[in-house]
Amino acid sequence: MNVSKRRLLIGRMYHESNFLPSFRTDGSWFNEHRDAAVLQEASGSSSTLGGIYKKAKALGYEMIGAVDIAAPPSALVDDDYYAAIRAAFVERAKRRNFDAIALDLHGAMGTGAIPDADGDLLAALREAVGPDIPIGVGLDLHAHMTPKMLSSAQIVIACKENPHSDTVECGERVVELLDELLSGQLHPVSTLARVPMILMGNAETNAGPLQELHALARALAAKYPQVRDVSLYNVMRLMDDVDMGQSVVVLSDGPLPAAAQIAEKIAGEFWRRREEFRDDLLTIDQALELAAHPTKALPVTLGDMGDRVTAGAPGDGVYILQAALKRPGLRGAIPITDATAVAKAKAAGIGVPITLEVGGTMTSMFEPMTIRARVRNLSNGVFTMAGPFHGGERSDMGETAVLDLENGLVLLVTSRPAYSLDPQAFESQGIAIGAQDFVVVKSGHHFKLNFAGLVEPLLVATPGIGYPFPGYHPGTRGRFYPEHDVGEPAIKALSFTHQGKRTI
């Protein structure tokens, strides 16, 4: 078949689900596109979906949009909503008017009934298209890797960097590998090794043990031309499923005995170095002291680790606000999720002073606090992310109010958990980053990409359900170190070989 005539069905299902909140994430939380609108969204996105689009276009593929849903991390997804999305994907897949499928999935999406929604979707798509149509997937490196994913898709790889600066490259690589498969140049076999442990911290790839483990992966892969990818998965710590842990997947061209050795060696290194994965976080007071006496001519940004929206927490904590109010004259911007407070501000109107409670409405361990403020701005909370992480994508904070407090603080109060990891969450609402002494973000890593050059980043220890602390996991499925006694794990690799006519 002429490559220019090849057709690629593309889509995305991107959500990282935290099982601790009692509510569910329904369709109103998602940006959703279907059919031709998927292509339009992908064309301007610095995501894995954007990379899929970019490379497929460069290779001359005709693309068909399927379904695209994406939302900030939050609670488990509503079962009925997911069922509708799965049905929409399957309906389009059953048309079989394409040569391959390329998807951007997070890999850690769950619903109330289905802890592995990504694997469930891939299995449904495989059933819909049969064994012969290749499926390629680009995952977040915080995916919960499961056998269902690897038995359903021929190409399963992850981005390699945290913060995720290589999502576009991940999507491009998915298409490159699918193209090789369609051309008969690749016969994919995936080999998985897993160790039952989570990373308690120190999880960035630009330094420390993860940097060294990725370097080891590259060095081992370089010895074998058959190895086409080695992906390391640092499982999302706030989900609950069987076989949670650190996973290593080696993608090879045909069976390769060394693939199991590579996967097992790297998995073993995770276990051997398990105590190195700890964070050294500042206290709130330490961080605010640095904001008051900065070492650089930049605001400091406080990564609110316990209440991280990027880990699925609601973002309704007020601990940093309470501490900042004890430091008169310190200028700072603080996001808080509180739909009730937004409604009260909207009822009062711009320019009106109000007294109201904020925070503590969604996280059971939090309490609200009463503030006096003046309503500066009201909006629908929609903005376009500057990136590079998810740059060019629409983000929706829901109805939003900007409240000025008397002592120089400003609150960004949103109806939905906000992607405050991007400066446009603030700037779009009239809050100038450069005018602050500090800015709070509900993020632990990705804000360092999107705020680069604008702030001095700090990570702060705070309460909440966005960070693992001893005894944090009341789940019934997952068992992993250090939350559980798992003994000395036996690490044994498994291989997944597809039998369709295009692969061995």
Side-chain angles (χ1 to χ4, degrees):
M1 181 184 291
N2 189 314
V3 171
S4 65
K5 298 297 184 181
R6 285 180 178 156
R7 309 183 83 197
L8 190 65
L9 183 71
I10 72 171
R12 172 170 58 174
M13 187 176 77
Y14 193 87
H15 188 261
E16 190 173 23
S17 306
N18 185 328
F19 85 105
L20 293 174
S22 59
F23 62 92
R24 292 291 181 261
T25 304
D26 63 22
S28 69
W29 293 58
F30 285 86
N31 288 327
E32 183 176 326
H33 305 88
R34 301 195 184 197
D35 304 320
V38 176
L39 306 184
Q40 182 177 356
E41 179 71 12
S43 66
S45 170
S46 58
S47 63
T48 297
L49 180 65
I52 289 170
Y53 179 93
K54 180 180 178 182
K55 180 57 66 172
K57 182 178 181 181
L59 293 178
Y61 279 73
E62 178 184 348
M63 283 174 279
I64 303 168
V67 180
D68 171 19
I69 65 166
S74 54
L76 293 170
V77 175
D78 176 76
D79 286 295
D80 290 341
Y81 178 69
Y82 167 65
I85 291 301
R86 180 180 58 191
F89 268 108
V90 167
E91 188 275 328
R92 287 156 178 79
K94 284 182 175 179
R95 298 171 188 173
R96 302 188 189 184
N97 57 342
F98 46 83
D99 298 281
I101 300 174
L103 299 175
D104 174 359
L105 304 180
H106 186 282
M109 176 170 150
T111 75
I114 304 172
D116 175 25
D118 301 274
D120 182 78
L121 174 65
L122 289 173
L125 290 174
R126 174 55 62 204
E127 182 179 358
V129 301
D132 297 335
I133 293 179
I135 300 175
V137 183
L139 296 171
D140 189 292
L141 62 77
H142 296 122
H144 167 44
M145 176 49 58
T146 66
K148 185 174 284 188
M149 295 181 191
L150 295 176
S151 61
S152 301
Q154 287 92 334
I155 307 296
V156 182
I157 65 172
C159 63
K160 308 297 190 285
E161 297 175 4
N162 186 39
H164 304 334
S165 59
D166 63 332
T167 51
V168 171
E169 291 82 355
C170 178
E172 291 179 320
R173 186 62 178 149
V174 168
V175 175
E176 289 172 350
L177 291 166
L178 281 173
D179 188 63
E180 292 178 21
L181 193 162
L182 289 168
S183 300
Q185 300 170 4
L186 174 64
H187 307 88
V189 176
S190 294
T191 301
L192 163 69
R194 180 165 44 212
V195 60
M197 58 173 281
I198 64 165
L199 307 187
M200 293 295 287
N202 203 7
E204 295 190 6
T205 57
N206 55 7
L210 273 188
Q211 182 185 53
E212 294 168 11
L213 287 177
H214 278 273
L216 174 63
R218 292 190 296 270
L220 293 173
K223 296 180 179 180
Y224 303 95
Q226 282 178 264
V227 174
R228 310 310 298 276
D229 181 80
V230 180
S231 290
L232 279 56
Y233 295 93
N234 313 131
V235 66
M236 199 280 190
R237 302 171 291 191
L238 297 157
M239 62 183 305
D240 183 31
D241 195 13
V242 297
D243 294 330
M244 284 175 60
Q246 305 306 295
S247 296
V248 181
V249 177
V250 179
L251 177 68
S252 61
D253 181 16
L256 178 67
Q261 298 169 15
I262 292 170
E264 289 171 2
K265 180 175 179 58
I266 298 171
E269 283 297 294
F270 271 110
W271 182 252
R272 185 180 69 84
R273 304 183 67 173
R274 59 193 180 277
E275 290 301 326
E276 297 180 41
F277 295 100
R278 306 278 178 170
D279 284 325
D280 184 15
L281 304 179
L282 298 172
T283 66
I284 295 174
D285 285 336
Q286 287 172 334
L288 291 176
E289 185 66 19
L290 289 172
H293 303 93
T295 59
K296 298 182 180 180
L298 293 171
V300 299
T301 298
L302 280 58
D304 187 345
M305 297 296 280
D307 198 27
R308 287 181 301 154
V309 168
T310 53
D316 60 333
V318 295
Y319 289 93
I320 296 177
L321 172 59
Q322 290 171 338
L325 285 169
K326 299 175 183 177
R327 293 174 176 263
L330 196 61
R331 299 166 302 168
I334 304 173
I336 296 175
T337 308
D338 190 334
T340 301
V342 173
K344 290 180 179 179
K346 188 174 181 180
I350 293 175
V352 176
I354 55 174
T355 299
L356 74 167
E357 288 187 337
V358 294
T361 59
M362 302 176 76
T363 304
S364 60
M365 69 174 67
F366 292 169
E367 295 290 338
M369 70 173 298
T370 301
I371 62 166
R372 295 178 60 192
R374 185 179 296 272
V375 181
R376 182 202 297 187
N377 188 53
L378 298 167
S379 80
N380 64 4
V382 174
F383 68 96
T384 299
M385 294 180 67
F389 180 67
H390 285 189
E393 297 215 339
R394 178 183 182 271
S395 188
D396 186 351
M397 303 183 289
E399 294 292 323
T400 295
V402 176
L403 306 180
D404 287 319
L405 278 63
E406 294 176 351
N407 70 339
L409 300 177
V410 56
L411 303 185
L412 177 68
V413 188
T414 62
S415 298
R416 297 175 183 166
Y419 252 161
S420 57
L421 61 87
D422 193 275
Q424 280 303 307
F426 300 90
E427 296 279 355
S428 68
Q429 306 303 307
I431 302 173
I433 301 297
Q436 312 303 320
D437 296 315
F438 72 92
V439 178
V440 174
V441 293
K442 305 290 185 170
S443 167
H445 305 290
H446 303 319
F447 79 93
K448 296 180 182 180
L449 285 178
N450 291 25
F451 276 84
L454 300 176
V455 300
E456 179 71 10
L458 305 174
L459 299 183
V460 183
T462 55
I465 60 173
Y467 193 78
F469 49 86
Y472 83 98
H473 197 281
T476 59
R477 300 184 181 102
R479 291 191 60 80
F480 47 82
Y481 174 89
E483 192 73 357
H484 308 96
D485 181 5
V486 297
E488 189 69 22
I491 302 172
K492 182 66 176 177
L494 299 172
S495 291
F496 299 81
T497 303
H498 295 268
Q499 302 296 329
K501 66 182 180 182
R502 287 194 175 100
T503 60
I504 63 171

